[in-house]
């Protein structure tokens, strides 16, 4: 019951109202029948009240511009209200009050439980603020208020909502006056970036959002840039037919100034906003900023560099189209580092004695009932036994170490993270279902210890991660990092966000929305177990951070089809 209460508690007030009103109405009708059972028509008339309330309710809570979301979230309440009205008709027709009452009560309870599974396991939107009927500024202002009330990491990240209102609402007012939808989308992205949380993001038509945000890429001057392990910023992906080549700028050329500003200083001012990639940890921002800086400037940009003779030179580069494609190519090489195309939960043997397991997301099954059952227990025996059999089979063929590749893992269900980690970590992996009540973390249930804990804790395990290892993928990394036999390896940090999603604010005409997490995922000390704090630094321990000196970086960008991270993992295990 505590779990059920927590799930309903975390829903928005419109959902909570129906979860309180409908069972209460059924109970009250049972009580009233005892007193007015001689007046069947009056009692039957009372059974229409839930249906009338539902119709009034729908007139207020529907999502303007989104019939599907309205139907998905509220139809079951209408069905229950209709069943209650049919109960009244049955009594008028002198059918058994008790029999029909029991049928209505049981059916309603089942439907309300189905609604919980639908909202939590399928739609993943249990807590929604509906501002679809308001204009751009008013809906945005309400979204800020709603997040201040519901966002689970407000204190941890020290979010200054007064500052956000002061900085963003006047700008939104000006954008609304102009009617510039691209500027509107860009401001939403800039706003969500303030939270440094990959789970705080803009949703809506991707192509429209992508086109709007891609405009922020800036101009193409014939090159991108990358920061080496030595701290130097070098040119990469240089267009051989651009003016860069004429001036002697090539892959590996050290860039010292951008538009007259020292390059390190210039990178600090760059916002890393993209529709496909998230940069929320300081470690990943630091890597991405030179890439984003290479598109910043007007029709011309002044670039200072060290030529092949060792002299510092300054030239003017002229813009030639959008920088977006070149920037995306650079980001793909650094942050989308996995070039392996193996399927999710696939395995094979590489290099004779090294097993390779690929988990691209924690979605072993799409069955909502399976996922709900496993979520409640925080464990899946089916996944555990499946992987156990496969690893045992590889061991029989001589495998004595494992590469667990969770790069580009876009998350999913947390119980899968715990299940997979339990195969390699010797020691219990505590996990609790929690909810946030008025800023206090309430434990709804605590998972039982896993019986067959760490059967492969004697094997060497290298876990490959990158900047696209997200959400439940980071939970998996966090759990695995506790294994003495496990090495976390990658060339970037992970995403930096693992709190459970479920919060959303729907903006004007339901065209765009802002999502955010609402469920606490805390460690044994009550602190968020993954998410970055106010300092933006990653909280996932990297045992082996792969970096690139100047020559290695040039090689990396010239050979994007080569998986250097996987090669490094193999070399490490062969030592």
């Amino acid at each position: 019951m505590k779990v059920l209460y927590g799930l309903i508690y975390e829903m928005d007030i419109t959902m909570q109202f129906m979860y309180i009103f409908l069972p209460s109405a059924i109970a009250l009708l049972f009580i009233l029948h005892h007193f007015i059972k001689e007046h069947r028509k009056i009692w039957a008339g009372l059974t229409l009240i839930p249906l009338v309330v539902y119709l009034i309710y729908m007139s207020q809570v529907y999502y303007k511009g989104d019939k599907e979301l309205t139907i998905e979230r509220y139809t079951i309440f209408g069905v229950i209200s209709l069943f209650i009205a049919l109960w009244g008709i049955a009594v008028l027709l002198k059918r058994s009050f008790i029999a029909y009452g029991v049928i209505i009560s049981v059916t309603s309870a089942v439907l309300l439980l189905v609604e919980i599974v639908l909202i939590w396991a399928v739609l993943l939107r249990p807590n929604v603020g509906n501002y679809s009927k308001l204009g751009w500024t008013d809906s945005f202002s309400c979204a800020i208020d709603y997040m201040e009330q519901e966002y689970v990491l407000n204190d941890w990240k020290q979010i200054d909502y007064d500052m956000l209102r002061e900085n963003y609402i006047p700008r939104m007012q000006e954008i609304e006056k102009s009617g510039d939808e691209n500027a509107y989308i860009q401001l939403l992205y800039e706003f969500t970036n303030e939270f440094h949380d990959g789970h705080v993001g803009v949703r809506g038509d991707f192509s429209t959002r992508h086109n709007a945000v891609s405009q922020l890429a800036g101009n193409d001057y014939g090159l991108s840039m990358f920061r080496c392990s030595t701290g130097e910023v070098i040119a990469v992906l240089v267009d051989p037919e651009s003016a860069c080549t004429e001036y002697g700028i090539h892959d590996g050329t050290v860039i010292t100034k951008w538009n007259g500003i020292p390059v390190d200083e210039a990178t600090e001012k760059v916002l890393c906003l993209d529709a496909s990639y998230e940069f929320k940890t300081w470690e990943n921002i630091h890597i991405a900023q030179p890439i984003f800086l290479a598109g910043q400037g007007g029709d011309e940009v002044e670039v200072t560099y060290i030529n092949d003779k060792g002299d510092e030179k300054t030239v003017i580069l002229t813009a030639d189209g959008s920088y977006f494609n070149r920037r995306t190519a650079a980001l793909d090489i650094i942050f989308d580092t996995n070039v392996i195309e193996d399927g999710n939960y696939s395995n094979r043997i590489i290099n004779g004695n090294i097993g390779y397991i690929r988990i691209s997301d924690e979605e072993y099954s799409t069955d909502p009932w399976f996922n709900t059952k496993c979520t409640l227990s925080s464990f899946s025996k089916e996944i555990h036994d499946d992987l156990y059999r496969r690893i045992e089979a590889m061991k029989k063929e001589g495998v004595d170490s494992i590469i667990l590749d969770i790069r580009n893992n876009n998350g999913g269900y947390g119980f899968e993270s715990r299940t997979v980690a339990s195969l390699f970590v010797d020691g219990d992996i505590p996990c609790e279902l929690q909810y946030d009540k008025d800023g206090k973390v309430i434990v709804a249930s605590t998972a039982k210890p896993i019986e067959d804990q760490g059967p492969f804790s004697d094997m060497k395990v290298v876990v490959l991660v990158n900047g696209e290892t997200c959400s439940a993928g980071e939970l998996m990394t966090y759990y695995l990092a506790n294994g003495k036999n496990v090495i976390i390896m990658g060339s970037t940090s992970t995403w930096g966000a693992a709190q459970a999603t479920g919060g959303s604010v729907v903006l004007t005409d339901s065209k765009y929305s802002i999502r955010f997490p609402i469920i606490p995922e805390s460690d044994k000390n009550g602190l968020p177990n993954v998410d970055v704090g106010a300092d933006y630094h990653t909280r996932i321990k990297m045992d082996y951070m792969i970096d690139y000196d100047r020559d290695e970086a040039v090689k990396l960008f010239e050979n994007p089809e080569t998986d250097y991270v996987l090669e490094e993992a193999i070399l490490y295990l062969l030592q």
Side-chain angles (χ1 to χ4, degrees):
M1 288 302 295
K2 198 172 183 181
V3 173
L4 185 61
Y5 171 77
L7 294 175
I8 296 174
Y9 180 85
E10 290 292 354
M11 290 182 174
D12 58 75
I13 193 169
T14 61
M15 300 290 288
Q16 290 171 346
F17 170 77
M18 277 298 180
Y19 268 92
I20 295 170
F21 172 72
L22 290 174
S24 299
I26 292 172
L28 187 59
L29 285 167
F30 268 106
I31 294 170
L32 288 175
H33 186 267
H34 176 75
F35 294 102
I36 59 173
K37 57 185 174 183
E38 301 300 327
H39 304 280
R40 289 199 309 271
K41 291 183 179 179
I42 294 175
W43 185 87
L46 293 176
T47 64
L48 294 173
I49 292 176
L51 189 57
V52 172
V53 170
Y54 173 75
L55 293 174
I56 296 171
Y57 168 87
M58 283 294 288
S59 71
Q60 300 301 311
V61 301
Y62 74 94
Y63 294 86
K64 182 183 177 184
D66 193 340
K67 293 179 182 178
E68 288 186 12
L69 185 58
T70 302
I71 292 169
E72 288 167 345
R73 282 177 64 82
Y74 303 130
T75 296
I76 284 179
F77 299 139
V79 171
I80 294 172
S81 300
L82 183 60
F83 283 170
I84 294 172
L86 293 175
W87 185 19
I89 294 173
V91 170
L92 278 178
L93 296 175
K94 298 184 179 180
R95 301 293 191 268
S96 170
F97 164 78
I98 294 295
Y100 278 86
V102 170
I103 292 171
I104 294 299
S105 299
V106 172
T107 302
S108 298
V110 170
L111 287 175
L112 289 174
L113 289 173
V114 168
E115 176 79 339
I116 289 177
V117 174
L118 173 70
I119 295 298
W120 280 96
V122 180
L123 295 179
L124 303 176
R125 298 177 81 175
N127 189 312
V128 182
N130 181 7
Y131 306 114
S132 60
K133 304 175 189 71
L134 303 178
W136 286 358
T137 302
D138 289 340
S139 67
F140 177 68
S141 178
C142 288
I144 296 175
D145 296 341
Y146 198 81
M147 291 184 67
E148 185 174 20
Q149 176 182 324
E150 302 291 341
Y151 177 51
V152 75
L153 294 176
N154 280 325
D155 294 334
W156 173 246
K157 290 180 177 286
Q158 301 176 24
I159 305 298
D160 186 342
Y161 282 92
D162 289 334
M163 179 274 291
L164 293 176
R165 292 183 183 95
E166 182 179 345
N167 287 352
Y168 286 93
I169 290 178
R171 292 171 60 191
M172 184 61 81
Q173 290 171 335
E174 293 302 312
I175 290 171
E176 186 169 18
K177 289 177 185 176
S178 70
D180 187 341
E181 185 171 358
N182 284 337
Y184 169 61
I185 295 170
Q186 291 164 4
L187 188 69
L188 293 179
Y189 269 86
E190 189 176 336
F191 167 75
T192 55
N193 187 64
E194 296 276 4
F195 292 80
H196 283 266
D197 184 340
H199 281 145
V200 177
V202 184
R203 291 294 177 266
D205 180 69
F206 179 77
S207 61
T208 306
R209 289 188 288 117
H210 181 272
N211 290 336
V213 179
S214 65
Q215 293 179 7
L216 299 175
N219 297 312
D220 187 11
Y221 302 104
L223 77 163
S224 188
M225 294 190 289
F226 176 73
R227 196 192 315 268
C228 303
S229 58
T230 56
E232 296 172 313
V233 173
I234 63 170
V236 294
L237 298 181
V238 176
D239 184 348
E241 297 182 2
S242 70
C244 293
T245 303
E246 295 178 18
Y247 291 127
I249 300 174
H250 52 77
D251 289 349
T253 297
V254 175
I255 309 297
T256 58
K257 292 181 182 179
W258 192 263
N259 251 353
I261 301 173
V263 70
D264 286 338
E265 183 182 336
T267 57
E268 292 176 1
K269 302 174 183 178
V270 175
L271 281 179
C272 300
L273 299 179
D274 187 79
S276 300
Y277 288 99
E278 300 276 4
F279 305 98
K280 305 305 182 185
T281 69
W282 180 88
E283 290 78 7
N284 285 346
I285 294 169
H286 187 68
I287 293 170
Q289 280 178 325
I291 297 173
F292 279 78
L293 177 63
Q296 304 305 302
D299 293 336
E300 295 180 336
V301 68
E302 183 183 280
V303 177
T304 303
Y305 62 99
I306 306 297
N307 67 14
D308 290 342
K309 295 180 180 179
D311 299 325
E312 190 172 58
K313 290 191 64 177
T314 299
V315 297
I316 301 295
L317 298 179
T318 302
D320 183 15
S322 170
Y323 174 57
F324 178 76
N325 288 336
R326 196 181 306 277
R327 188 188 76 179
T328 299
L331 294 176
D332 287 348
I333 292 169
I334 298 300
F335 292 96
D336 191 9
T337 49
N338 178 41
V339 298
I340 299 292
E341 296 182 356
D342 294 33
N344 192 27
Y345 279 97
S346 62
N347 67 281
R348 57 189 173 92
I349 298 174
I350 55 178
N351 243 62
N353 67 329
I354 299 174
Y356 176 86
I357 300 174
R358 174 79 179 122
I359 301 180
S360 57
D361 60 64
E362 273 87 333
E363 194 170 294
Y364 184 86
S365 169
T366 57
D367 180 354
W369 297 106
F370 171 81
N371 291 322
T372 300
K373 175 198 73 172
C374 295
T375 296
L376 292 174
S377 63
S378 299
F379 180 74
S380 168
K381 190 173 187 309
E382 295 87 346
I383 297 174
H384 178 279
D385 292 350
D386 180 19
L387 289 177
Y388 182 91
R389 285 191 296 268
R390 290 198 242 167
I391 296 171
E392 279 292 331
M394 288 193 291
K395 284 183 71 175
K396 289 178 181 177
E397 295 189 44
V399 165
D400 58 12
S401 56
I402 295 286
I403 293 175
L404 180 57
D405 192 346
I406 56 174
R407 292 174 294 173
N408 303 342
N409 182 304
N410 58 14
Y413 295 98
F415 71 84
E416 298 190 25
S417 302
R418 184 171 183 253
T419 300
V420 173
S422 73
L423 291 162
F424 304 103
V425 176
D426 184 13
D428 189 33
I429 304 172
C431 185
E432 298 173 338
L433 281 176
Q434 305 171 331
Y435 60 93
D436 185 16
K437 184 173 183 179
D438 301 326
K440 258 184 100 175
V441 173
I442 306 297
V443 178
S445 69
T446 301
K448 294 179 182 178
I450 299 168
E451 291 182 9
D452 188 14
Q453 183 71 48
F456 303 111
S457 59
D458 59 337
M459 299 181 74
K460 280 185 180 180
V461 179
V462 171
V463 180
L464 299 184
V465 301
N466 65 1
E468 292 295 286
T469 302
C470 308
S471 193
E474 288 193 271
L475 274 181
M476 186 181 291
T477 309
Y478 174 79
Y479 293 144
L480 285 163
N482 293 318
K484 295 178 182 178
N485 58 316
V486 175
I487 294 293
I488 309 299
M489 181 184 295
S491 58
T492 64
S493 80
T494 55
W495 210 43
Q499 302 297 303
T501 56
S504 182
V505 283
V506 178
L507 303 173
T508 308
D509 297 327
S510 299
K511 197 166 185 182
Y512 305 104
S513 62
I514 298 174
R515 73 165 186 179
F516 58 91
I518 58 172
I519 307 294
E521 294 274 4
S522 304
D523 63 17
K524 61 184 179 181
N525 299 313
L527 301 176
N529 51 18
V530 168
D531 295 68
V532 301
D535 63 358
Y536 309 147
H537 281 282
T538 181
R539 300 186 70 234
I540 294 287
K541 182 184 72 171
M542 296 292 295
D543 298 301
Y544 192 130
M545 179 66 84
I546 300 170
D547 53 23
Y548 305 94
D549 63 24
R550 186 175 168 187
D551 292 337
E552 290 168 337
V554 171
K555 185 180 176 183
L556 173 70
F557 281 91
E558 288 180 346
N559 301 281
E561 73 287 349
T562 301
D563 195 336
Y564 290 107
V565 173
L566 181 61
E567 288 183 359
E568 189 71 21
I570 293 171
L571 287 173
Y572 175 84
L573 289 173
L574 291 176
Q575 290 177 353

